[in-house]
Amino acid sequence: MSGPGPIAASELILGGQKSGKSRRAELLARQWLADSPTHRALLIATGQPWDDEMRERIARHQRDRAERVPGLRTLEEPLDLGGAIARHGSADTLIVVDCLTLWLTNWLMPASAPALDELEPNRPPAHDWLGQCAMFLGAIRQAPGPVVLVGNEIGLGVIPMGREVRAFVDALGGLNQRVAEACQRVTLVAAGLPLLLKDTP
């Protein structure tokens, strides 16, 4: 993948599975860290270790990120993205959120409700998703430093079977649209190649 170019105040990076979207976010973080010795970078990871395969996937991603971007710290936050951005944002810190799709999954299609209750006992009920989304969008707009958001574009294939899955695809499409509206830049990545969809001065 070529250089990521200038860093925007906020950027949404969309793409399919293994499209290179996370790699672009890492390149932006690496560039930010290289620009100044006072810069910091934080990755907010939303994935949860539901099973052995997911645990291995998370561990592999952590190892790979540590090699590619050694200065990128990681914070695991499966639910309260808006709060995490508000708490950790600063003018000298670039925040990467990877990824929005898993965040939405944690809220609307949790693999295990008891497991989520253990992770965050005071978690608001799932019906408060719209409130959480509004808080998150506000945090993006008010962030003092750059924010890079990674998400999946899954609405390009056939209509999925099952009411719940169709509802999730609809919800993700709506989330992507709202986040794209809130962000200065939107990039679609396919086969490791970025396509600029929006770049607001």
Side-chain angles (χ1 to χ4, degrees):
M1 179 180 289
S2 60
I7 293 174
S10 55
E11 178 170 349
L12 171 62
I13 304 172
L14 293 172
Q17 188 82 356
K18 293 297 179 182
S19 61
K21 57 189 184 299
S22 293
R23 184 66 59 89
R24 174 176 172 83
E26 291 176 1
L27 288 172
L28 288 167
R30 191 166 65 188
Q31 177 179 316
W32 175 259
L33 291 169
D35 283 347
S36 171
T38 65
H39 282 178
R40 296 178 297 168
L42 173 68
L43 181 133
I44 302 177
T46 61
Q48 297 182 79
W50 298 313
D51 52 33
D52 290 340
E53 188 275 337
M54 193 63 176
R55 279 188 285 273
E56 172 54 32
R57 179 182 290 265
I58 290 173
R60 185 173 65 251
H61 287 176
Q62 290 173 340
R63 292 192 301 268
D64 292 346
R65 280 198 305 269
E67 292 180 4
R68 291 191 294 260
V69 193
L72 181 61
R73 297 181 298 119
T74 299
L75 169 70
E76 296 182 2
E77 178 47 70
L79 296 165
D80 186 18
L81 279 189
I85 292 172
R87 288 190 299 271
H88 296 280
S90 67
D92 63 352
T93 300
L94 179 142
I95 293 178
V96 175
V97 174
D98 196 351
C99 73
L100 297 182
T101 311
L102 287 176
W103 177 54
L104 181 66
T105 302
N106 295 338
W107 272 101
L108 300 188
M109 300 181 70
S112 170
L116 284 179
D117 291 339
E118 291 175 9
L119 285 169
E120 191 164 328
N122 298 321
R123 177 175 60 95
H127 66 256
D128 192 41
W129 158 247
L130 293 179
Q132 287 292 317
C133 186
M135 290 172 54
F136 169 64
L137 295 173
I140 295 172
R141 294 186 174 99
Q142 298 167 18
V147 180
V148 178
L149 308 158
V150 178
N152 289 82
E153 175 51 73
I154 65 173
L156 299 176
V158 297
I159 298 175
M161 297 288 288
R163 178 176 59 85
E164 291 184 350
V165 178
R166 286 194 296 270
F168 178 81
V169 173
D170 288 347
L172 180 60
L175 174 63
N176 287 344
Q177 289 186 50
R178 290 192 289 273
V179 175
E181 183 180 1
C183 285
Q184 178 184 355
R185 179 181 298 150
V186 180
T187 304
L188 178 67
V189 179
L193 300 174
L195 175 64
L196 187 62
L197 302 181
K198 172 186 175 183
D199 196 6
T200 305

